Amino acid sequence: MLTGVIGALDIMKRQVASGRFDDLPRFIDAASISADRASALTQRLLTLSHRQPLAAQPIEVEPLLAALEALIRRSIGDGISLHGDYQHGTVRVLADARQLQNAVLNLAVNARDAMPGGGQIRLHTCLVDLQQENRAALPDLQAGQYLLIALSDTGSGMSSETLERVFDPFFTTKSVGRGSGLGLSMVHGFARQSGGQVTIHSEPAVGTTVRLYLPVVDGPGCEARQPADQAPGQARILLVESDSSVCLLVGEVAAERGHGLINAAEPLAALELLRREAFDLLIADVSLPGISGVQLAQAAHGLRPGLSVLLVAAAADIGQLAAAPALKSIAKPFSRRELGETLDELLPGPS
Ligand SMILES: Nc1ncnc2c1ncn2[C@@H]1O[C@H](COP(=O)(O)OP(=O)(O)O)[C@@H](O)[C@H]1O
Ligand SMILES: [Mg+2]
């Protein structure tokens, strides 16, 4: 996937050097698609290693599934029918919406692969009230209300040997290139991190049902957390980051919101600036030369108690965040939208 990005950049460099611009959009698209795929794969790997910071929010599941149906239809083809049956009302679950969509899509793709000669997929939801007496099948879930999302197929089913290993990362019965063996381990990682569980019932030659249980958030009060229309912020942000693409992105997203941004070349310069001037937010890479982002945040708090901090962590550095669980963080690679939402959360603006 990186070859796709690097190759396209290389070609574009040569074309620009020789003054040819007509073909650039094609290579820009190719590079973007490759980069998106690499980003999605990284997310999946992180989820299953249980380190992915999930952006959990109260979400309404029915519109999400309804939107997903179109995508599922496209990936399963004509020979397979899809029937959605949603009976959970308007309750919401606390989960990362994109990960939830990914999980259901993964299940649908598995169902498709199990039905090469066609068949049916049923996507069904309902509310389940787990109490002491009916928790036998789900012993590690706490009592309470869960939303059950069940995806059934009429496919090949699985042998008991396969069934025992399906959640293992990289376990696949598919040929190289067709299966990564990460689908179900990702679904499992997502369910567990969201406080839920996943179970599979499968019969060879009859079909498979995967059940995903997610805890229901009850009650009002969550609306307050939805991003509202805000007045432009005009906050002051101090950025300490050596990755120029991150600087560029933060600069753009901050400018869109009317925030001022000062880029400090290195941690000591940042502390010097903090000593002299007031800032509303410090954004720092987790791994900085000489001092970790977590240490920098602590030093900054010594100078400016109550200063908001956002740590930027590359995949390899996410472990360092464990040292400071209270600090807000965002994982690279992030999208413009994710960054924007995070800034809006940290800098709510004058109100
Ligand atoms: N709906 C299903 N029907 C039959 N077998 C399944 C189904 N879902 C998963 N499997 C089995 O579990 C294995 C692991 O699935 P998964 O983790 O999604 O990886 P992959 O799809 O890349 O092989 C599959 O290779 C397949 O053998
Ligand atoms: Mg799969």
Side-chain angles (χ1 to χ4, degrees), residues 106 110 174 183:
N106 265 312
N110 279 348
K174 298 168 194 175

Side-chain angles (χ1 to χ4, degrees), residues 60-318:
E60 261 183 59
V61 175
E62 181 158 346
L64 182 142
L65 292 179
L68 194 58
E69 275 187 25
L71 200 60
I72 294 180
R73 285 217 165 78
R74 213 177 317 147
S75 43
I76 58 179
D78 291 339
I80 297 172
S81 67
L82 171 65
H83 179 63
D85 173 20
Y86 310 130
Q87 308 205 344
H88 62 276
T90 56
V91 299
R92 294 180 297 175
V93 297
L94 191 64
D96 178 317
R98 201 167 51 158
Q99 298 271 355
L100 174 56
Q101 283 188 318
N102 253 332
V104 176
L105 190 60
N106 265 312
L107 298 180
V109 168
N110 279 348
R112 173 201 71 191
D113 290 347
M115 299 186 288
Q120 290 149 31
I121 295 179
R122 180 165 176 258
L123 187 53
H124 168 70
T125 68
C126 63
L127 280 179
V128 174
D129 204 1
L130 274 192
Q131 295 307 334
Q132 296 305 339
E133 57 278 11
N134 58 6
R135 270 171 60 209
L138 299 154
D140 41 7
L141 287 187
Q142 305 191 336
Q145 276 218 324
Y146 289 83
L147 170 66
L148 166 60
I149 302 175
L151 190 137
S152 316
D153 65 57
T154 56
S156 61
M158 290 176 242
S159 67
S160 52
E161 292 79 31
T162 299
L163 203 49
E164 260 171 44
R165 302 184 56 195
V166 279
F167 291 130
D168 291 353
F170 305 109
F171 172 78
T172 179
T173 58
K174 298 168 194 175
S175 57
V176 182
R178 273 193 70 79
S180 65
L182 292 176
L184 287 176
S185 41
M186 175 266 162
V187 173
H188 184 253
F190 162 73
R192 295 306 288 154
Q193 269 183 294
S194 307
Q197 185 54 290
V198 48
T199 65
I200 302 187
H201 179 84
S202 188
E203 258 180 77
V206 177
T208 301
T209 299
V210 182
R211 295 188 173 85
L212 183 58
Y213 294 84
L214 295 171
V216 165
V217 273
D218 26 51
C222 304
E223 285 86 354
R225 295 183 39 182
Q226 301 293 326
D229 278 343
Q230 287 159 347
Q234 269 155 31
R236 299 191 74 219
I237 302 174
L238 178 60
L239 175 68
V240 198
E241 163 72 72
S242 51
D243 184 337
S244 57
S245 61
V246 172
C247 293
L248 210 70
L249 194 62
V250 174
E252 277 183 39
V253 173
E256 276 168 13
R257 286 166 169 72
H259 298 314
L261 181 80
I262 292 189
N263 203 338
E266 35 92 22
L268 284 180
L271 286 173
E272 192 46 44
L273 277 166
L274 277 168
R275 201 166 294 145
R276 293 204 310 256
E277 302 173 40
F279 288 88
D280 301 290
L281 173 65
L282 168 69
I283 304 181
D285 199 324
V286 165
S287 72
L288 292 165
I291 175 175
S292 80
V294 173
Q295 289 169 322
L296 175 62
Q298 284 159 353
H301 278 148
L303 292 167
R304 301 275 174 186
L307 174 72
S308 295
V309 175
L310 174 64
L311 292 176
V312 180
D317 297 322
I318 282 180

